[in-house]
Amino acid sequence: TVRFLSLCAGIGGMDLGLERAGWQCVGQVEVDPWCREVLRRHWPHVWQWGDIRLLDAATIRESCGLPDAVVAAPPCQPVSCAGKGKGSGDRRWLWDDVLRLVCALRPAWVCFENVPGLRARGADGILAHLEAAGYACWPLVVGARHVGAPHRRDRVWIVGRLADSPSRGRR
């Protein structure tokens, strides 16, 4: 079983999908109180933290061990085409904290989701940071229509694999 840590978890949509695929959620980070209540209801035995900016890798390791994967869906407002497009200048820009924890934990896998605006407002820096940390990355765009939904709703996904981590028989 792949053990994953979910950053910027929202109400756990990605977590639910990964668990249905056979992965195990070992920790969740979400600052919004209402979302955290939803997470507690559905994952009562999973470690949970509030503000990612105040969380460190030592706390995660002590609580739930080292995860095999870190997944995240940081707030989209800093890069959304509908917003002001401040990118890293927006107080809601949490990519630096996501990358800080990934580099400290060094999971074998990372998987991030965001809106298409990320491509022009930050993806290059995020990919460069991950690659400098030893991750081979695959950015891709998947739309809701690609999985049978009647609307477009594209999403940017970044999947990364730590180059020097053992595969443990998985690809």
Side-chain angles (χ1 to χ4, degrees):
T1 298
V2 176
R3 300 171 69 252
F4 72 94
L5 171 68
S6 180
L7 307 177
C8 309
I11 60 169
M14 191 179 336
D15 304 358
L16 180 61
L18 291 172
E19 283 194 343
R20 287 182 178 175
W23 289 23
Q24 177 190 2
C25 184
V26 296
Q28 296 166 318
V29 181
E30 176 53 52
V31 72
D32 183 270
W34 183 81
C35 291
R36 286 181 64 196
E37 184 57 37
V38 172
L39 293 172
R40 274 191 290 277
R41 191 173 316 128
H42 294 285
W43 287 274
H45 305 296
V46 169
W47 285 96
Q48 294 180 356
W49 297 275
D51 194 337
I52 190 174
R53 296 170 294 187
L54 304 176
L55 185 60
D56 60 59
T59 301
I60 294 166
R61 281 192 300 269
E62 291 166 10
S63 302
C64 55
L66 285 173
D68 301 308
V70 170
V71 303
C76 65
Q77 295 92 333
V79 298
S80 174
C81 296
K84 295 180 180 177
K86 292 182 178 181
S88 62
D90 192 305
R91 66 177 175 74
R92 296 166 293 189
W93 178 263
L94 298 180
W95 282 102
D96 294 338
D97 292 293
V98 168
L99 297 171
R100 172 182 56 82
L101 290 173
V102 164
C103 289
L105 294 169
R106 298 194 52 80
W109 292 95
V110 295
C111 181
F112 307 134
E113 177 271 337
N114 216 277
V115 297
L118 183 66
R119 292 183 297 174
R121 296 180 175 151
D124 289 344
I126 292 164
L127 291 166
H129 194 97
L130 287 167
E131 289 170 0
Y135 286 87
C137 298
W138 300 272
L140 58 145
V141 175
V142 178
R145 68 190 176 285
H146 296 121
V147 293
H151 58 282
R152 187 175 171 145
R153 196 171 166 85
D154 287 341
R155 287 292 178 261
V156 170
W157 291 87
I158 297 173
V159 178
R161 170 108 170 91
L162 188 60
D164 63 0
S165 70
S167 68
R168 296 188 311 173
R170 298 186 192 103
R171 295 196 184 261

